[in-house]
Amino acid sequence: MEKIYNFITEFVRNDYEIHRTKYDIGLSDENHHKLSTKLNSYIHPYLNYNQNRVRKVASVLNDQVYLNRFSRKIKKIIPRTLFQIKHYQHPELGSSLESIVKGCDLWACYLSYDQQGGRDLYFSSIFFVANTNVGLKIIYKMSFDSDNGEWYHPHNGEVLQVLNPGRLISVEKYQAPEEETSLMNYNTE
């Protein structure tokens, strides 16, 4: 599990950096693209995790509305918190994911959101990690609805979903969430 812990914490560091630099007009678009490419090295190409800038720096330099928006946005960005990692074997995967996953292991990494909000610290996402045809990669992301205490698929493309994580082998817990429904979910295993 140490290898997965190191992998996901490196991803979290890079994810934080890319979110911050997305709104840093002092960083060139070219350098931001390099950071985005580095972040994408953790993610299998089947998973769409686009963190590119919405607008080029040159297009916002004289636009005070965007400069103010960027200034507010960058202040809200925080590193994701890693709550726990669950190790599973023999997952049920959509056919496209099944074609790229090598071996029978799947790790579910439970993370918080990447921006400050007005709520207690809660689950935001599960990033599923597996050995693939291109090495150890994040292959899928699920989201958490803390109002209803339920996990949901962010899209209906079943061929690209983790349908069932499989048989639970082990759990490593690092930090408990604060929000009630996330904490109840955290304490189930």
Short mmCIF file of all heavy atoms in Angstrom, two decimals, residues 60-104:
data_model
loop_
_atom_site.label_atom_id
_atom_site.label_comp_id
_atom_site.label_asym_id
_atom_site.label_seq_id
_atom_site.Cartn_x
_atom_site.Cartn_y
_atom_site.Cartn_z
N VAL A 60 -6.43 37.84 -20.78
CA VAL A 60 -7.04 38.37 -19.56
C VAL A 60 -6.25 39.52 -18.93
O VAL A 60 -6.74 40.15 -17.99
CB VAL A 60 -7.25 37.26 -18.49
CG1 VAL A 60 -8.16 36.18 -19.00
CG2 VAL A 60 -5.94 36.70 -17.99
N LEU A 61 -5.08 39.81 -19.44
CA LEU A 61 -4.23 40.83 -18.81
C LEU A 61 -4.91 42.19 -18.70
O LEU A 61 -4.66 42.92 -17.74
CB LEU A 61 -2.91 40.95 -19.57
CG LEU A 61 -1.92 39.83 -19.30
CD1 LEU A 61 -0.67 40.02 -20.16
CD2 LEU A 61 -1.55 39.76 -17.82
N ASN A 62 -5.75 42.55 -19.64
CA ASN A 62 -6.42 43.85 -19.61
C ASN A 62 -7.90 43.73 -19.25
O ASN A 62 -8.65 44.69 -19.42
CB ASN A 62 -6.26 44.55 -20.96
CG ASN A 62 -4.80 44.87 -21.24
OD1 ASN A 62 -4.09 45.30 -20.34
ND2 ASN A 62 -4.36 44.63 -22.46
N ASP A 63 -8.29 42.58 -18.73
CA ASP A 63 -9.69 42.34 -18.39
C ASP A 63 -9.82 42.28 -16.87
O ASP A 63 -9.57 41.24 -16.25
CB ASP A 63 -10.15 41.03 -19.04
CG ASP A 63 -11.64 40.80 -18.89
OD1 ASP A 63 -12.25 41.31 -17.93
OD2 ASP A 63 -12.21 40.08 -19.74
N GLN A 64 -10.20 43.40 -16.26
CA GLN A 64 -10.24 43.49 -14.81
C GLN A 64 -11.22 42.49 -14.18
O GLN A 64 -10.98 42.00 -13.08
CB GLN A 64 -10.59 44.92 -14.37
CG GLN A 64 -10.23 45.21 -12.93
CD GLN A 64 -8.76 44.96 -12.61
OE1 GLN A 64 -7.87 45.41 -13.33
NE2 GLN A 64 -8.50 44.25 -11.53
N VAL A 65 -12.30 42.18 -14.87
CA VAL A 65 -13.26 41.21 -14.36
C VAL A 65 -12.57 39.85 -14.16
O VAL A 65 -12.69 39.22 -13.11
CB VAL A 65 -14.48 41.07 -15.30
CG1 VAL A 65 -15.38 39.91 -14.87
CG2 VAL A 65 -15.28 42.37 -15.33
N TYR A 66 -11.83 39.41 -15.18
CA TYR A 66 -11.12 38.14 -15.07
C TYR A 66 -9.99 38.20 -14.06
O TYR A 66 -9.77 37.25 -13.30
CB TYR A 66 -10.60 37.67 -16.44
CG TYR A 66 -11.57 36.76 -17.12
CD1 TYR A 66 -12.54 37.27 -17.98
CD2 TYR A 66 -11.57 35.40 -16.88
CE1 TYR A 66 -13.45 36.45 -18.61
CE2 TYR A 66 -12.49 34.57 -17.50
CZ TYR A 66 -13.42 35.09 -18.36
OH TYR A 66 -14.33 34.27 -18.96
N LEU A 67 -9.27 39.30 -14.01
CA LEU A 67 -8.18 39.44 -13.04
C LEU A 67 -8.72 39.34 -11.62
O LEU A 67 -8.12 38.68 -10.76
CB LEU A 67 -7.43 40.75 -13.26
CG LEU A 67 -6.62 40.84 -14.55
CD1 LEU A 67 -6.03 42.24 -14.71
CD2 LEU A 67 -5.54 39.79 -14.60
N ASN A 68 -9.86 39.97 -11.36
CA ASN A 68 -10.47 39.88 -10.03
C ASN A 68 -10.94 38.46 -9.74
O ASN A 68 -10.77 37.95 -8.64
CB ASN A 68 -11.65 40.85 -9.91
CG ASN A 68 -11.20 42.29 -9.88
OD1 ASN A 68 -10.05 42.59 -9.58
ND2 ASN A 68 -12.11 43.20 -10.21
N ARG A 69 -11.54 37.83 -10.76
CA ARG A 69 -12.00 36.45 -10.60
C ARG A 69 -10.83 35.52 -10.30
O ARG A 69 -10.90 34.68 -9.40
CB ARG A 69 -12.72 36.00 -11.86
CG ARG A 69 -13.20 34.58 -11.82
CD ARG A 69 -13.99 34.22 -13.08
NE ARG A 69 -14.38 32.84 -13.00
CZ ARG A 69 -13.98 31.90 -13.85
NH1 ARG A 69 -13.18 32.23 -14.85
NH2 ARG A 69 -14.37 30.67 -13.73
N PHE A 70 -9.74 35.66 -11.05
CA PHE A 70 -8.57 34.83 -10.85
C PHE A 70 -8.00 35.04 -9.45
O PHE A 70 -7.60 34.10 -8.78
CB PHE A 70 -7.50 35.13 -11.90
CG PHE A 70 -7.77 34.51 -13.25
CD1 PHE A 70 -9.02 34.00 -13.59
CD2 PHE A 70 -6.76 34.44 -14.18
CE1 PHE A 70 -9.25 33.44 -14.84
CE2 PHE A 70 -6.98 33.88 -15.44
CZ PHE A 70 -8.23 33.38 -15.76
N SER A 71 -7.97 36.28 -9.00
CA SER A 71 -7.44 36.61 -7.67
C SER A 71 -8.27 35.92 -6.58
O SER A 71 -7.73 35.38 -5.62
CB SER A 71 -7.44 38.11 -7.48
OG SER A 71 -7.00 38.45 -6.20
N ARG A 72 -9.60 35.97 -6.72
CA ARG A 72 -10.48 35.30 -5.74
C ARG A 72 -10.32 33.79 -5.80
O ARG A 72 -10.28 33.12 -4.77
CB ARG A 72 -11.93 35.69 -5.99
CG ARG A 72 -12.31 37.08 -5.55
CD ARG A 72 -13.81 37.31 -5.59
NE ARG A 72 -14.43 36.93 -6.84
CZ ARG A 72 -14.56 37.72 -7.91
NH1 ARG A 72 -14.09 38.94 -7.87
NH2 ARG A 72 -15.14 37.29 -9.01
N LYS A 73 -10.25 33.25 -7.02
CA LYS A 73 -10.16 31.80 -7.22
C LYS A 73 -8.90 31.21 -6.59
O LYS A 73 -8.95 30.20 -5.91
CB LYS A 73 -10.13 31.48 -8.70
CG LYS A 73 -11.31 30.98 -9.42
CD LYS A 73 -12.18 30.02 -8.80
CE LYS A 73 -12.66 29.04 -9.85
NZ LYS A 73 -13.59 28.10 -9.33
N ILE A 74 -7.77 31.86 -6.83
CA ILE A 74 -6.49 31.32 -6.37
C ILE A 74 -6.42 31.25 -4.84
O ILE A 74 -5.78 30.37 -4.29
CB ILE A 74 -5.29 32.11 -6.97
CG1 ILE A 74 -4.03 31.24 -6.97
CG2 ILE A 74 -5.08 33.41 -6.26
CD1 ILE A 74 -2.91 31.81 -7.82
N LYS A 75 -7.14 32.16 -4.18
CA LYS A 75 -7.15 32.17 -2.71
C LYS A 75 -7.95 31.00 -2.14
O LYS A 75 -7.76 30.62 -0.99
CB LYS A 75 -7.73 33.48 -2.20
CG LYS A 75 -6.82 34.67 -2.45
CD LYS A 75 -7.48 35.96 -2.04
CE LYS A 75 -6.63 37.14 -2.44
NZ LYS A 75 -7.31 38.42 -2.22
N LYS A 76 -8.86 30.43 -2.91
CA LYS A 76 -9.72 29.34 -2.44
C LYS A 76 -9.11 27.95 -2.64
O LYS A 76 -9.58 26.98 -2.07
CB LYS A 76 -11.07 29.39 -3.14
CG LYS A 76 -11.92 30.56 -2.76
CD LYS A 76 -13.25 30.48 -3.47
CE LYS A 76 -14.17 31.61 -3.02
NZ LYS A 76 -15.50 31.49 -3.62
N ILE A 77 -8.09 27.86 -3.46
CA ILE A 77 -7.54 26.55 -3.82
C ILE A 77 -6.71 25.99 -2.67
O ILE A 77 -5.86 26.68 -2.11
CB ILE A 77 -6.73 26.65 -5.12
CG1 ILE A 77 -7.68 27.03 -6.25
CG2 ILE A 77 -6.00 25.35 -5.42
CD1 ILE A 77 -7.04 27.41 -7.53
N ILE A 78 -6.99 24.75 -2.32
CA ILE A 78 -6.28 24.06 -1.24
C ILE A 78 -5.88 22.66 -1.71
O ILE A 78 -6.48 22.12 -2.64
CB ILE A 78 -7.17 23.94 0.02
CG1 ILE A 78 -8.46 23.17 -0.29
CG2 ILE A 78 -7.46 25.31 0.63
CD1 ILE A 78 -9.33 22.85 0.91
N PRO A 79 -4.85 22.08 -1.08
CA PRO A 79 -4.52 20.69 -1.43
C PRO A 79 -5.64 19.75 -0.97
O PRO A 79 -6.26 19.97 0.07
CB PRO A 79 -3.24 20.41 -0.66
CG PRO A 79 -2.82 21.68 -0.01
CD PRO A 79 -3.96 22.64 -0.09
N ARG A 80 -5.88 18.74 -1.75
CA ARG A 80 -6.85 17.73 -1.35
C ARG A 80 -6.32 16.98 -0.12
O ARG A 80 -5.12 16.79 0.01
CB ARG A 80 -7.08 16.73 -2.47
CG ARG A 80 -7.74 17.30 -3.70
CD ARG A 80 -7.86 16.23 -4.78
NE ARG A 80 -8.35 16.74 -6.03
CZ ARG A 80 -9.64 16.81 -6.37
NH1 ARG A 80 -10.56 16.40 -5.52
NH2 ARG A 80 -10.01 17.27 -7.54
N THR A 81 -7.21 16.54 0.73
CA THR A 81 -6.86 15.71 1.88
C THR A 81 -7.08 14.25 1.52
O THR A 81 -8.13 13.91 0.96
CB THR A 81 -7.74 16.08 3.11
OG1 THR A 81 -7.49 17.44 3.45
CG2 THR A 81 -7.46 15.19 4.29
N LEU A 82 -6.10 13.41 1.82
CA LEU A 82 -6.25 11.97 1.63
C LEU A 82 -6.82 11.39 2.92
O LEU A 82 -6.21 11.48 3.97
CB LEU A 82 -4.91 11.32 1.30
CG LEU A 82 -4.88 9.79 1.22
CD1 LEU A 82 -5.84 9.27 0.15
CD2 LEU A 82 -3.46 9.30 0.97
N PHE A 83 -8.02 10.81 2.83
CA PHE A 83 -8.68 10.23 4.00
C PHE A 83 -8.30 8.76 4.20
O PHE A 83 -7.98 8.35 5.30
CB PHE A 83 -10.20 10.34 3.86
CG PHE A 83 -10.70 11.74 3.79
CD1 PHE A 83 -11.24 12.24 2.62
CD2 PHE A 83 -10.63 12.58 4.88
CE1 PHE A 83 -11.71 13.54 2.54
CE2 PHE A 83 -11.09 13.89 4.83
CZ PHE A 83 -11.64 14.37 3.64
N GLN A 84 -8.38 8.00 3.13
CA GLN A 84 -8.14 6.57 3.25
C GLN A 84 -7.86 5.97 1.87
O GLN A 84 -8.19 6.57 0.85
CB GLN A 84 -9.33 5.85 3.88
CG GLN A 84 -10.59 5.92 3.06
CD GLN A 84 -11.79 5.32 3.78
OE1 GLN A 84 -11.68 4.74 4.84
NE2 GLN A 84 -12.96 5.46 3.19
N ILE A 85 -7.24 4.79 1.90
CA ILE A 85 -7.05 4.00 0.69
C ILE A 85 -7.59 2.61 0.98
O ILE A 85 -7.25 2.00 2.00
CB ILE A 85 -5.57 3.89 0.28
CG1 ILE A 85 -4.99 5.28 -0.01
CG2 ILE A 85 -5.42 2.98 -0.95
CD1 ILE A 85 -3.49 5.28 -0.29
N LYS A 86 -8.44 2.12 0.07
CA LYS A 86 -8.97 0.76 0.18
C LYS A 86 -8.39 -0.07 -0.96
O LYS A 86 -8.41 0.35 -2.11
CB LYS A 86 -10.50 0.76 0.10
CG LYS A 86 -11.16 1.44 1.27
CD LYS A 86 -12.68 1.35 1.17
CE LYS A 86 -13.35 2.00 2.36
NZ LYS A 86 -14.82 1.86 2.29
N HIS A 87 -7.87 -1.23 -0.61
CA HIS A 87 -7.31 -2.15 -1.60
C HIS A 87 -8.36 -3.22 -1.90
O HIS A 87 -8.86 -3.88 -0.99
CB HIS A 87 -6.04 -2.79 -1.05
CG HIS A 87 -5.42 -3.79 -1.97
ND1 HIS A 87 -4.57 -4.76 -1.52
CD2 HIS A 87 -5.52 -3.99 -3.31
CE1 HIS A 87 -4.18 -5.51 -2.54
NE2 HIS A 87 -4.76 -5.05 -3.63
N TYR A 88 -8.68 -3.38 -3.18
CA TYR A 88 -9.64 -4.37 -3.64
C TYR A 88 -8.97 -5.32 -4.63
O TYR A 88 -7.96 -4.98 -5.25
CB TYR A 88 -10.81 -3.70 -4.37
CG TYR A 88 -11.68 -2.84 -3.52
CD1 TYR A 88 -11.46 -1.46 -3.42
CD2 TYR A 88 -12.77 -3.37 -2.82
CE1 TYR A 88 -12.28 -0.66 -2.64
CE2 TYR A 88 -13.60 -2.57 -2.05
CZ TYR A 88 -13.34 -1.21 -1.97
OH TYR A 88 -14.16 -0.41 -1.21
N GLN A 89 -9.57 -6.48 -4.80
CA GLN A 89 -9.15 -7.40 -5.85
C GLN A 89 -10.36 -7.87 -6.64
O GLN A 89 -11.46 -7.93 -6.11
CB GLN A 89 -8.41 -8.61 -5.26
CG GLN A 89 -7.02 -8.24 -4.78
CD GLN A 89 -6.20 -9.45 -4.38
OE1 GLN A 89 -6.74 -10.47 -3.97
NE2 GLN A 89 -4.88 -9.31 -4.50
N HIS A 90 -10.11 -8.17 -7.89
CA HIS A 90 -11.11 -8.68 -8.84
C HIS A 90 -12.30 -7.72 -9.01
O HIS A 90 -13.45 -8.09 -8.82
CB HIS A 90 -11.59 -10.07 -8.43
CG HIS A 90 -10.46 -11.03 -8.24
ND1 HIS A 90 -9.70 -11.49 -9.29
CD2 HIS A 90 -9.94 -11.59 -7.12
CE1 HIS A 90 -8.77 -12.30 -8.83
NE2 HIS A 90 -8.88 -12.38 -7.52
N PRO A 91 -11.99 -6.48 -9.41
CA PRO A 91 -13.08 -5.52 -9.64
C PRO A 91 -13.88 -5.87 -10.89
O PRO A 91 -13.41 -6.58 -11.77
CB PRO A 91 -12.34 -4.20 -9.84
CG PRO A 91 -11.02 -4.60 -10.42
CD PRO A 91 -10.68 -5.92 -9.75
N GLU A 92 -15.10 -5.37 -10.91
CA GLU A 92 -15.93 -5.45 -12.12
C GLU A 92 -15.80 -4.09 -12.81
O GLU A 92 -16.18 -3.06 -12.25
CB GLU A 92 -17.38 -5.74 -11.75
CG GLU A 92 -18.28 -5.87 -12.95
CD GLU A 92 -19.74 -6.05 -12.56
OE1 GLU A 92 -20.04 -6.36 -11.39
OE2 GLU A 92 -20.58 -5.85 -13.45
N LEU A 93 -15.26 -4.12 -14.01
CA LEU A 93 -14.98 -2.88 -14.75
C LEU A 93 -15.75 -2.84 -16.05
O LEU A 93 -16.03 -3.89 -16.64
CB LEU A 93 -13.48 -2.80 -15.06
CG LEU A 93 -12.52 -2.92 -13.88
CD1 LEU A 93 -11.08 -3.03 -14.37
CD2 LEU A 93 -12.68 -1.74 -12.95
N GLY A 94 -16.06 -1.64 -16.51
CA GLY A 94 -16.63 -1.49 -17.84
C GLY A 94 -15.64 -2.03 -18.85
O GLY A 94 -14.43 -2.11 -18.60
N SER A 95 -16.12 -2.41 -20.02
CA SER A 95 -15.28 -3.11 -20.99
C SER A 95 -14.04 -2.33 -21.42
O SER A 95 -12.98 -2.92 -21.63
CB SER A 95 -16.11 -3.51 -22.22
OG SER A 95 -16.66 -2.35 -22.83
N SER A 96 -14.13 -1.02 -21.52
CA SER A 96 -12.95 -0.24 -21.91
C SER A 96 -11.90 -0.23 -20.81
O SER A 96 -10.71 -0.36 -21.08
CB SER A 96 -13.34 1.18 -22.28
OG SER A 96 -14.09 1.20 -23.47
N LEU A 97 -12.33 -0.08 -19.56
CA LEU A 97 -11.38 -0.13 -18.45
C LEU A 97 -10.79 -1.53 -18.32
O LEU A 97 -9.59 -1.69 -18.07
CB LEU A 97 -12.02 0.29 -17.13
CG LEU A 97 -12.32 1.76 -16.95
CD1 LEU A 97 -12.85 2.02 -15.55
CD2 LEU A 97 -11.10 2.62 -17.22
N GLU A 98 -11.64 -2.53 -18.49
CA GLU A 98 -11.18 -3.91 -18.38
C GLU A 98 -10.05 -4.19 -19.38
O GLU A 98 -9.12 -4.95 -19.09
CB GLU A 98 -12.35 -4.86 -18.63
CG GLU A 98 -12.10 -6.28 -18.24
CD GLU A 98 -13.38 -7.09 -18.34
OE1 GLU A 98 -13.86 -7.31 -19.47
OE2 GLU A 98 -13.90 -7.48 -17.28
N SER A 99 -10.12 -3.58 -20.53
CA SER A 99 -9.11 -3.82 -21.57
C SER A 99 -7.75 -3.20 -21.25
O SER A 99 -6.74 -3.60 -21.83
CB SER A 99 -9.61 -3.30 -22.92
OG SER A 99 -9.59 -1.89 -22.95
N ILE A 100 -7.69 -2.24 -20.33
CA ILE A 100 -6.41 -1.58 -20.02
C ILE A 100 -5.83 -2.00 -18.68
O ILE A 100 -4.64 -1.80 -18.44
CB ILE A 100 -6.54 -0.05 -20.06
CG1 ILE A 100 -7.55 0.44 -19.01
CG2 ILE A 100 -6.90 0.43 -21.46
CD1 ILE A 100 -7.41 1.87 -18.60
N VAL A 101 -6.65 -2.55 -17.77
CA VAL A 101 -6.17 -2.91 -16.43
C VAL A 101 -5.45 -4.24 -16.50
O VAL A 101 -5.94 -5.22 -17.07
CB VAL A 101 -7.34 -2.94 -15.42
CG1 VAL A 101 -6.90 -3.53 -14.09
CG2 VAL A 101 -7.88 -1.52 -15.23
N LYS A 102 -4.27 -4.27 -15.88
CA LYS A 102 -3.46 -5.48 -15.81
C LYS A 102 -3.44 -5.98 -14.37
O LYS A 102 -3.18 -5.22 -13.46
CB LYS A 102 -2.02 -5.20 -16.28
CG LYS A 102 -1.93 -4.58 -17.67
CD LYS A 102 -2.52 -5.50 -18.71
CE LYS A 102 -2.52 -4.86 -20.08
NZ LYS A 102 -3.44 -5.46 -20.99
N GLY A 103 -3.74 -7.23 -14.18
CA GLY A 103 -3.76 -7.78 -12.82
C GLY A 103 -5.14 -7.67 -12.21
O GLY A 103 -6.11 -7.25 -12.86
N CYS A 104 -5.22 -8.02 -10.94
CA CYS A 104 -6.54 -8.08 -10.28
C CYS A 104 -6.69 -7.04 -9.17
O CYS A 104 -7.68 -7.06 -8.46
CB CYS A 104 -6.75 -9.48 -9.71
SG CYS A 104 -5.58 -9.91 -8.40
#
